[in-house]
Amino acid sequence: MTLHKGYRNKTRKRHRKRVREKGLLSIDKYLFEYEIGHKVDIITDPSQQKRGMPHRRYHGLTGTIIGTRGRCYEVEVKLGNSRKKLFIGKEHLRLNKGSII
């Protein structure tokens, strides 16, 4: 059988939730507002596919918020020697613990 090259190819373990974490997120995740300059971790939430789910290569990376676009945030991430600008929904972001003062 041929290998299909879809958008969620090879994400079986990456997009898996633990048994007690299954279902939708709490309302706190949607009400939290990020500000420009915050450091955020990109952790994709597999229960939300509609708004701004990043590609699997960006899962686990840390970026900086540089703006907003609609209901999503513009996040700048360093990947190799280049910088990428991603548009990610807030349910796929988490505040970086190292940047909290």
Side-chain angles (χ1 to χ4, degrees), residues 60-77:
L61 295 182
T62 301
T64 308
I65 293 187
I66 58 173
T68 61
R69 184 170 293 195
R71 296 186 300 175
C72 293
Y73 290 95
E74 294 180 23
V75 181
E76 188 176 57
V77 177

Side-chain angles (χ1 to χ4, degrees), residues 2 17-20 28 33 48 55 62 69 84:
T2 60
K17 284 188 169 186
R18 296 187 188 118
V19 175
R20 288 169 187 86
D28 298 336
E33 292 294 328
Q48 298 290 328
H55 192 266
T62 301
R69 184 170 293 195
K84 304 287 185 178

Side-chain angles (χ1 to χ4, degrees), residues 38-61:
H38 274 173
K39 295 278 187 186
V40 291
D41 296 327
I42 301 171
I43 305 295
T44 56
D45 181 24
S47 65
Q48 298 290 328
Q49 299 98 17
K50 286 264 185 182
R51 176 172 54 173
M53 185 172 187
H55 192 266
R56 68 183 173 91
R57 77 170 59 98
Y58 301 109
H59 181 84
L61 295 182

Side-chain angles (χ1 to χ4, degrees), residues 70-95:
R71 296 186 300 175
C72 293
Y73 290 95
E74 294 180 23
V75 181
E76 188 176 57
V77 177
K78 186 175 181 195
L79 188 68
N81 291 329
S82 62
R83 296 205 169 267
K84 304 287 185 178
K85 183 163 55 166
L86 308 173
F87 305 108
I88 303 176
K90 65 172 65 174
E91 54 270 5
H92 305 292
L93 296 176
R94 182 177 67 187
L95 199 59

